[in-house]
Amino acid sequence: MKLVLFTHPEFLGLRSQANFARMLSEAYRARGHQVELRQPAALLRRHAGGGAAAKWAGYADQYLLFPIAMRAALQDDAPDTLYVFCDQALGPWVPQVAHRPHVVHCHDLLALSSALGEIPEHPTARTGRLYQRYIRRGFRRARHFISVSRQSRDELHRIGGVRPLTSEVVYNGLNHPYRPLAPARARQVLEEAGLPVGERRCLLHVGGGQWYKNSVGVVHLYGAYARDELQAGRRPLPLWMVSPPPDAALRAALATLPPSCECRFLMGLDATALEALYSHAEALLFPSLAEGFGWPIAEALACACPVLTTDAAPMNEVGGDCADYLPRLGPADDLAAWAAAAARVLARVLARPADERERRAAAARAWVARFDAADAIDRYLAIYRRVLDLETAPRRGG
């Protein structure tokens, strides 16, 4: 197949989107397909300095200049070229190729949901609301979608307002062959990464610091657990947070922890170190308010690390019967009461006997086989072929 992949410009610094586009292009080329990656260049932005001027110059590069380049390139593309949008947020470009074979990958609709006032924890300013509607108006023109979860597909149809010919779900594939490491090996890998851990294990949170990761809730959950442990005469496990340095709200939450608690913030870990950390942890604390997919859930389960996450889609879609669940922390809920109840669930997870932990770990490893990267690529390509057949059949018949 001849594939043109559209992705975000490099100057936005969207690492996960860049990794996704790179993964697709490399995998497709390895399977013998012709692949071209197209993205806006910083034509105006490089001369705009910083601040608001750079921001608006970036918008001009993306939505004024790049569509001109798209139209010019289309003239040289073969009729059987398939245009692949690596993110539904690239919606403003969709109308340029709406008359040609195309597919849109949908990751999450959190920004649009917030712009529509559906997330009281994260209101969106007026300019942001207009921007999200601009994006939606574009991707509504698409006829074929691939979503990373049933939750994302449901939201795509509900608030995205799309009326597609095809709309498939393909789970993300793990970007590393995560597996459980023996305790000594996990400690060795972490020490080689500059993280001396000793014999004592930890509780773990993996997030990016975004509002929906509920980092404040994580810390309050940990504090409730630690107070229960101290009251019982036991030393609480440390909490390791793979997350940016704490902001003011998170620092205030950290100040409520008992003095004997240990909470460390880590950044810049590669997949090998993260695999060792999952293997070293007694449990992953992942009570997100929302997600597009929830990578750490699948990663932790693949490493036989128990997962405590939110009983809401897509977290329970990714965790299945292999994770333990907490109610979603709502804006009107009592944080202390929620944390105390969550700490009791965590205590039950940590108290499981060894044979039950082994049984659940085996079930988890079998469960996460569905998040296989090679299988995801094969399914993408199969969908692409069906879309091409569907879109080019009228021309072939004529």
Side-chain angles (χ1 to χ4, degrees):
M1 287 185 288
K2 304 178 183 67
L3 304 173
V4 170
L5 272 58
F6 292 108
T7 190
H8 295 276
E10 292 182 2
F11 58 73
L12 291 183
L14 301 176
R15 182 183 301 176
S16 62
Q17 286 296 327
N19 289 341
F20 181 69
R22 182 170 57 253
M23 181 270 291
L24 293 186
S25 60
E26 291 175 354
Y28 296 162
R29 290 188 181 108
R31 286 162 171 76
H33 300 284
Q34 300 177 33
V35 181
E36 182 181 351
L37 192 66
R38 295 180 186 172
Q39 60 191 144
L43 300 176
L44 298 178
R45 193 178 188 278
R46 70 165 59 102
H47 302 295
K55 175 182 177 180
W56 288 103
Y59 285 146
D61 283 329
Q62 294 175 79
Y63 304 125
L64 295 179
L65 300 185
F66 186 61
I68 296 173
M70 286 180 66
R71 287 192 291 271
L74 286 174
Q75 298 177 9
D76 296 325
D77 291 336
D80 60 348
T81 300
L82 179 71
Y83 299 93
V84 179
F85 293 87
C86 293
D87 183 16
Q88 84 284 343
L90 305 175
W93 306 339
V94 169
Q96 300 289 330
V97 299
H99 60 295
R100 298 207 182 190
H102 62 269
V103 174
V104 177
H105 285 270
C106 176
H107 297 276
D108 70 71
L109 278 296
L110 294 179
L112 178 58
S113 182
S114 176
L116 295 175
E118 295 193 349
I119 304 178
E121 298 94 337
H122 189 69
T124 301
R126 182 174 182 275
T127 53
R129 296 197 298 269
L130 293 173
Y131 182 46
Q132 288 302 317
R133 288 168 181 162
Y134 174 52
I135 290 172
R136 182 176 62 177
R137 188 170 67 228
F139 70 63
R140 272 180 170 172
R141 296 281 302 277
R143 295 186 296 278
H144 306 280
F145 294 87
I146 301 173
S147 299
V148 300
S149 66
R150 293 192 300 272
Q151 165 73 5
S152 290
R153 182 177 64 180
D154 292 347
E155 292 295 273
L156 177 68
H157 293 196
R158 185 179 70 84
I159 63 175
V162 301
R163 298 292 182 268
L165 294 178
T166 64
S167 184
E168 304 284 346
V169 172
V170 177
Y171 291 125
N172 283 326
L174 294 173
N175 62 3
H176 178 82
Y178 288 96
R179 69 202 190 286
L181 302 182
R185 176 56 182 160
R187 289 194 300 271
Q188 179 185 2
V189 171
L190 292 171
E191 288 170 358
E192 291 172 352
L195 302 171
V197 295
E199 297 288 334
R200 209 152 174 268
R201 301 184 73 175
C202 67
L203 299 174
L204 177 65
H205 171 71
V206 176
Q210 300 94 332
W211 64 269
Y212 54 85
K213 295 298 183 182
N214 192 19
S215 299
V216 169
V218 170
V219 171
H220 280 278
L221 189 168
Y222 175 63
Y225 149 80
R227 283 186 284 273
D228 288 345
E229 289 293 286
L230 291 168
Q231 187 173 5
R234 294 185 294 265
R235 182 184 175 194
L237 294 167
L239 173 64
W240 287 30
M241 299 188 68
V242 181
S243 181
D247 59 12
L250 193 50
R251 288 195 299 272
L254 290 167
T256 68
L257 294 178
S260 58
C261 286
E262 177 189 347
C263 184
R264 299 177 63 180
F265 285 80
L266 310 171
M267 288 186 64
L269 299 185
D270 61 18
T272 301
L274 194 55
E275 176 183 66
L277 200 47
Y278 286 129
S279 300
H280 180 72
E282 288 284 356
L284 174 74
L285 309 183
F286 199 74
S288 293
L289 304 179
E291 289 286 337
F293 181 72
W295 285 101
I297 299 171
E299 294 167 353
L301 291 175
C303 296
C305 176
V307 172
L308 195 60
T309 188
T310 307
D311 193 9
M315 289 75 76
N316 51 16
E317 185 178 348
V318 177
D321 293 335
C322 299
D324 289 274
Y325 294 101
L326 304 171
R328 185 187 186 279
L329 177 62
D333 291 338
D334 184 304
L335 177 56
W338 175 88
R344 291 192 290 271
V345 178
L346 174 59
R348 292 196 294 270
V349 170
L350 298 178
R352 282 181 182 139
D355 59 342
E356 184 178 354
R357 290 174 69 97
E358 291 174 4
R359 178 185 60 78
R360 292 178 64 93
R365 292 195 295 274
W367 170 262
V368 298
R370 69 192 59 210
F371 307 120
D372 180 76
D375 179 63
I377 292 297
D378 290 341
R379 293 192 62 194
Y380 292 154
L381 290 171
I383 293 169
Y384 292 176
R385 292 188 187 96
R386 290 199 297 271
V387 168
L388 270 175
D389 289 343
L390 185 64
E391 292 286 329
T392 59
R395 289 197 291 271
R396 290 201 304 268

